């Protein structure tokens, strides 16, 4: 019997994904709000992430301990994540755990306690999280490159915010912010695994069917890639380099061309960067490329970790490989990159939580779901000409963003990268 993933819309606008996976003994539930840090102004930077923390301090009739214990008592796991364009609340559980999971997550989204004392303590926790990120150079360098790439847009600010912006939050302010972030017209309830359609829809209506619309308009200005350089000298054993170039958004026709370009450039051990920078020259242990896409903007990125003395040469190699790939890719390399991309996408589909999150993302971005066959067809349709056109577009504006973190000899790498692009 053929089973399919389906998208349904409740009367109040909440969208529900039913994604059965026959043979599984577990379920995955993601309740995803289609808003995040990209919708914050500077004064509220980090509030979406802080709110995600705060709802776990107590919701409905459950304390913070009750929330986790009631899920774990049935063999489940509960988690959450805040991004620039979405906030996700997730439960993994044994078959039959959907009822409880839906009830707990609806409490988190709709009925958080938001206690003043909890907020004071959680501000301290988030301050330590901000400090931890700053102490992790391979994380912090990505905050630096975001700041360089996106100018005054919220994408330029870290999702965690700053200590000052987080400390400015009040219970009243967070309550109002919750009403704007978690609203019916931007909420997806996505269920994968051992789930039955009737149960999914009945529970979604019970828990989210009376959810109100947003308490106010909440929009994000279009992002514009401005480029620039950020560097910080630190006494580190390794220099951390990130380079970014403007690309296409998740909604543009060349989205899959960008994913394939990143795959061929630095997606695996056969990629150009790995072979040239690591295998041939021994410049870096970790080096990879990635596509960073949002609803209305996107970028091609490269990360490398290397000795400070090798940073300039590594930057030059990165630029040369981007330029070379933009100029030419043969059929065998293109086929290999397509195969790797499809493998990444379809292997993720073997995990219920990944499927639930992927479906929620599609519903938020396109208000529809894509079958594996449609995704494969889109990947296979990308041609050599498509990659060359994309490459010209990426290099055309001559806008590069770079972030360098490490000993002083490494700091010139950003300038070297820009020069080597031509």
């Amino acid at each position: 019997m053929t089973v399919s993933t389906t998208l349904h819309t409740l009367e109040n606008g909440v969208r529900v994904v039913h994604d059965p996976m026959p043979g599984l003994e577990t379920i995955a539930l993601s309740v995803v709000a289609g808003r995040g840090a990209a919708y914050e102004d500077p004064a509220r930077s980090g509030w979406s992430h802080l709110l995600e923390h705060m709802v776990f301090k107590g919701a409905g009739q459950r304390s913070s301990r009750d929330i986790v214990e009631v899920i774990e008592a049935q063999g489940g796991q509960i988690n959450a994540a805040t991004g620039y364009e979405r906030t996700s609340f997730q439960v993994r559980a044994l078959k039959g755990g959907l009822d409880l999971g839906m009830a707990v997550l609806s409490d988190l989204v709709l009925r958080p306690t938001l206690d003043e004392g909890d907020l004071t303590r959680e501000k301290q926790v988030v301050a330590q999280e901000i400090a931890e990120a700053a102490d992790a150079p391979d994380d912090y360098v990505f905050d630096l490159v975001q700041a360089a790439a996106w100018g005054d847009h919220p994408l330029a600010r870290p999702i965690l915010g700053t200590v000052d912006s987080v400390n400015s939050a009040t219970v009243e302010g967070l309550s109002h912010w919750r009403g704007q972030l978690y609203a019916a017209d931007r909420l997806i309830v996505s269920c994968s695994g051992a789930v039955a359609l009737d149960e999914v829809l009945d529970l979604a209506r019970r828990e989210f069917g009376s959810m109100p619309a947003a308490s106010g308009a909440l929009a994000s200005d279009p992002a514009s890639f401005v480029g620039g350089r950020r560097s910080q000298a630190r006494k580190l054993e390794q220099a951390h380099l990130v380079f970014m170039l403007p690309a296409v958004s998740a909604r543009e026709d060349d989205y899959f061309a960008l994913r394939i370009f990143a795959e061929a450039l630095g997606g695996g051990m056969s990629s150009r960067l790995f072979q040239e920078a690591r295998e041939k020259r021994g410049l870096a242990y970790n080096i990879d490329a990635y596509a960073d896409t949002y609803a209305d903007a996107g970028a091609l990125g490269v990360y490398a970790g290397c000795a400070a003395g090798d940073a300039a040469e590594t930057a030059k190699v990165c630029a040369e490989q981007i330029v070379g790939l933009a100029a030419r890719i043969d059929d065998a390399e293109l086929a290999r990159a397509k195969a790797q991309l499809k493998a990444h996408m379809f292997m993720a589909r073997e995990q219920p939580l990944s499927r639930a999150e992927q479906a929620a993302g599609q519903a938020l971005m396109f208000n529809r779901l894509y079958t594996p066959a449609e995704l494969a067809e889109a990947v296979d349709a990308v041609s050599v000409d498509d990659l060359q056109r994309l490459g010209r577009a990426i290099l055309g504006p001559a806008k590069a963003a770079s972030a360098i973190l490490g000993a002083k000899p490494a700091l010139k790498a950003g300038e070297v990268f820009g020069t080597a692009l031509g």
Side-chain angles (χ1 to χ4, degrees), residues 202-224:
D202 287 347
L203 292 175
R205 287 192 186 97
R206 184 191 76 187
E207 299 297 340
F208 297 99
S210 60
M211 185 178 181
S215 60
L218 186 62
S220 176
D221 294 330
S224 178

Side-chain angles (χ1 to χ4, degrees), residues 38-259:
Y39 295 83
E40 299 167 345
D41 55 46
R44 291 184 286 194
S45 180
W47 282 29
S48 303
H49 173 257
L50 176 63
L51 178 60
E52 175 225 303
H53 276 231
M54 281 298 298
V55 302
F56 279 90
K57 306 309 292 182
Q61 301 301 311
R62 298 182 179 92
S63 67
S64 60
R65 182 165 183 166
D66 292 337
I67 289 168
V68 294
E69 281 191 346
V70 71
I71 295 293
E72 292 182 357
Q74 293 194 8
Q77 303 163 359
I78 188 168
N79 205 348
T82 302
Y84 282 109
E85 295 186 323
R86 59 195 281 183
T87 306
S88 300
F89 298 92
Q90 307 157 348
V91 165
R92 287 282 281 122
L94 296 173
K95 184 177 181 179
L98 187 62
D99 190 331
L100 176 63
M102 198 88 76
V104 171
L105 292 193
S106 71
D107 277 345
L108 296 184
V109 171
L110 300 176
R111 293 172 287 277
T113 305
L114 300 183
D115 175 76
E116 192 73 50
D118 288 335
L119 179 58
T120 298
R121 288 185 291 272
E122 207 58 27
K123 286 177 180 179
Q124 295 176 308
V125 172
V126 173
Q128 291 306 306
E129 191 175 358
I130 292 170
E132 181 182 17
D135 284 344
D138 53 345
D139 285 340
Y140 185 60
V141 71
F142 285 96
D143 286 343
L144 292 179
V145 83
Q146 288 286 120
W150 300 109
D152 294 329
H153 193 271
L155 291 178
R157 298 193 292 267
I159 291 170
L160 299 180
T162 67
V163 172
D164 286 343
S165 62
V166 168
N167 280 339
S168 72
T170 63
V171 165
E172 294 76 17
L174 283 181
S175 180
H176 176 69
W177 191 239
R178 184 194 64 80
Q180 293 183 293
L181 285 179
Y182 310 156
D185 62 337
R186 60 194 61 148
L187 197 83
I188 311 293
V189 179
S190 187
C191 309
S192 294
V195 291
L197 177 59
D198 288 346
E199 182 187 23
V200 166
L201 292 177
D202 287 347
L203 292 175
R205 287 192 186 97
R206 184 191 76 187
E207 299 297 340
F208 297 99
S210 60
M211 185 178 181
S215 60
L218 186 62
S220 176
D221 294 330
S224 178
F225 191 104
V226 299
R229 299 177 194 149
R230 296 286 191 278
S231 61
Q232 284 190 16
R234 287 194 187 181
K235 292 182 179 180
L236 300 171
E237 293 298 319
Q238 188 178 52
H240 299 269
L241 324 176
V242 182
F243 308 110
M244 289 178 68
L245 291 166
V248 297
S249 74
R251 290 188 170 129
E252 292 183 64
D253 290 341
D254 278 335
Y255 168 77
F256 283 106
L258 175 61
R259 293 285 303 273

Side-chain angles (χ1 to χ4, degrees), residues 30 146 173 267 269 272 277 313 329 331 342 349 355 366:
S30 290
Q146 288 286 120
M269 295 175 67
R272 294 194 180 195
E313 183 65 17
I329 182 172
D331 291 338
K342 286 189 287 187
R349 287 187 56 80
R355 283 173 67 130
F366 305 106

